Amino acid sequence: MKRQILCINSGSSSIKFALYAMGDGEESALGGGAVERIGQSAGRIWLQRDGRTRVDRTDRFPDQHGALQAILEALRQAGCVNPDGVGHRLVSGGPRYLEHCRIDADFLEHIREYLRFAPLHLPAEIAAVEALQAAWPDIPQVACFDTAFHRTIPEVASRLPLPRNLWHEGVRKYGFHGLSYEYIVSRLAGAIQGRTIIAHLGNGASLAAVRDGRCLDTSMGLTPTGGLVMGTRCGDLDPGVILYLLEEKGYDGSQLERVLNHLSGLLGISAISGDMQTLLRLRASEPHAQQAVDIFAYSARKQIGAMVAALGGIDRLVFTGGIGEHAAPMRWAICRGLEYLGLQLDPLRNDAQNTVISTADSVVQVQVIPTNEDLIIARHTQRLLFPRSGGQ
């Protein structure tokens, strides 16, 4: 029996959504869209179905609830019936939620304990759950966690070098972008045997070290702020920098959060933009843009080396995410200097956006695979709500 699953990916300023038909061996995307610039004076909602734009208008969406109401109206306008279930991407499940699960009152009570583990994401994601509960109280919902994929990371990699009591309070490495990594692993199928590094590179960016389909390490830690240099997030920092900002500059918690998550990374380095395409376009005339591009590539290259050490070698490197999928110059910049691993990038394949962009004789295969987090959300929502309806 086919079921319609609505997938929701909420952020503080936007909500992306997709509708899938699942079951009887079918996984079909019926439509999708987004509400953009939530909380700003001029927002936008758009929806595509059957390859055509059905809704595209500007409006003001003051909060998550208003944005969700607009999505429901847009779905009705496009002729979509109410879904059988709703799946949400939640960035962190904290130490309690290691697996994807159904959402109930107990879940909503406990997930709030972990807001500090993903302060940029969880508040908006919880608000979206509650808004849809109010609109559709009888439609079941599922939480799909980015942290779930990383539950196989061994303690030697996930324990932070802090007093032991903090581990028991949940202060540890969790890792993120897990839904994206899970999709890439599903695409590799039988080829996943061996040592694979997956580079999810976008405005948020991370790497995962995967052996035989299991995650052994990842670049992000307790929160999505750590690891690689990102669009506006700093990535890894000497903790002494935080102490300096607190003691010498007089920053409080909210000021620190703003600097580390919103004013740093590519934006902070370039003083121009946190968008990689913008920086690549301007790098010939703007030295700071070139420096931001160089530092991003250097950061990714160093982290790849760390993941190689965690795996004891590398057989495959996969690029995904907005930058990983579309920015051929950045893939080239990252891979330059990795020749010692036996990795040889083919410049023509790379520029042509081929699936395999390494040379035929490269010891390490390099691939570009577009990610699909929505499909993973739809699969888990179907599995948890309708386990007998067929499909994958």
Side-chain angles (χ1 to χ4, degrees):
M1 180 179 179
K2 295 179 184 178
R3 307 280 187 172
Q4 289 198 10
I5 306 296
L6 178 63
C7 305
I8 299 291
N9 190 336
S10 301
S12 58
S13 60
S14 67
I15 299 177
K16 299 177 183 178
F17 61 95
L19 189 65
Y20 277 82
M22 304 290 291
D24 297 335
E26 180 182 351
E27 296 179 336
S28 300
L30 302 179
V35 177
E36 301 166 347
R37 300 188 294 274
I38 297 171
Q40 299 182 28
S41 57
R44 177 191 176 210
I45 181 170
W46 59 272
L47 182 152
Q48 291 184 335
R49 187 177 184 190
D50 301 325
R52 295 194 297 117
T53 299
R54 301 297 185 91
V55 176
D56 192 344
R57 63 181 174 86
T58 58
D59 203 340
R60 183 173 184 273
F61 308 102
D63 52 24
Q64 302 293 116
H65 188 271
L68 264 300
Q69 289 295 327
I71 290 172
L72 304 186
E73 179 56 36
L75 289 169
R76 286 190 287 267
Q77 185 177 335
C80 301
V81 299
N82 286 356
D84 297 292
V86 178
H88 294 264
R89 176 199 179 209
L90 269 73
V91 165
S92 179
R96 177 187 292 265
Y97 297 103
L98 305 181
E99 304 275 0
H100 312 301
C101 66
R102 290 186 64 145
I103 292 172
D104 55 20
D106 184 65
F107 170 85
L108 285 173
E109 176 184 351
H110 289 295
I111 195 63
R112 286 182 172 83
E113 299 173 12
Y114 311 121
L115 290 178
R116 289 307 308 165
F117 293 171
L120 294 181
H121 302 85
L122 274 180
E125 292 160 356
I126 294 170
V129 170
E130 293 177 330
L132 283 176
Q133 269 191 341
W136 291 329
D138 297 325
I139 294 179
Q141 302 189 68
V142 164
C144 297
F145 300 104
D146 265 330
T147 47
F149 178 78
H150 304 290
R151 66 189 181 277
T152 55
I153 294 176
E155 188 173 329
V156 69
S158 61
R159 180 179 279 273
L160 303 178
L162 295 169
R164 296 188 70 85
N165 62 294
L166 293 174
W167 167 270
H168 297 295
E169 294 173 19
V171 179
R172 63 187 72 176
K173 173 179 282 193
Y174 287 100
F176 300 91
H177 295 130
L179 297 173
S180 175
Y181 291 133
E182 186 176 349
Y183 177 77
I184 299 302
V185 168
S186 76
R187 282 286 306 275
L188 292 171
I192 194 57
Q193 299 301 315
R195 301 160 298 183
T196 298
I197 295 174
I198 307 172
H200 177 105
L201 306 180
N203 186 52
S206 68
L207 302 177
V210 179
R211 179 187 292 152
D212 300 335
R214 293 170 59 86
C215 184
L216 298 186
D217 206 346
T218 188
S219 58
M220 284 180 170
L222 175 71
T223 76
T225 302
L228 297 171
V229 171
M230 291 172 258
T232 63
R233 292 176 240 167
C234 59
D236 285 347
L237 279 181
D238 174 356
V241 174
I242 308 299
L243 296 176
Y244 173 83
L245 295 176
L246 288 170
E247 296 174 358
E248 297 297 325
K249 304 295 289 184
Y251 283 24
D252 60 21
S254 63
Q255 288 173 308
L256 272 176
E257 192 277 329
R258 177 165 169 74
V259 168
L260 300 182
N261 284 317
H262 301 282
L263 301 177
S264 297
L266 297 175
L267 175 61
I269 297 164
S270 70
I272 297 171
S273 175
D275 177 69
M276 179 59 74
Q277 293 293 352
T278 299
L279 297 174
L280 288 171
R281 187 174 66 250
L282 296 176
R283 60 180 171 159
S285 59
E286 296 284 351
H288 292 168
Q290 180 65 63
Q291 185 178 53
V293 169
D294 291 343
I295 290 175
F296 183 91
Y298 179 69
S299 171
R301 200 160 47 244
K302 280 207 309 181
Q303 290 282 358
I304 288 171
M307 295 300 121
V308 171
L311 290 170
I314 178 174
D315 301 305
R316 183 183 296 103
L317 173 63
V318 179
F319 287 102
T320 192
I323 296 172
E325 294 168 25
H326 303 297
M330 183 49 62
R331 295 194 297 265
W332 180 262
I334 290 170
C335 290
R336 286 185 64 187
L338 295 179
E339 292 84 2
Y340 71 95
L341 296 172
L343 186 156
Q344 298 291 333
L345 213 60
D346 185 317
L348 297 181
R349 289 179 175 180
N350 184 46
D351 290 343
Q353 301 290 119
N354 288 5
T355 299
V356 176
I357 59 173
S358 48
T359 63
D361 59 350
S362 178
V363 174
V364 177
Q365 187 180 70
V366 186
Q367 294 180 252
V368 179
I369 302 178
T371 194
N372 191 339
E373 295 164 309
D374 290 330
L375 181 56
I376 293 297
I377 293 171
R379 286 175 179 173
H380 285 301
T381 302
Q382 178 203 24
R383 174 180 61 83
L384 288 167
L385 298 181
F386 314 110
R388 299 182 180 178
S389 58
Q392 293 190 10

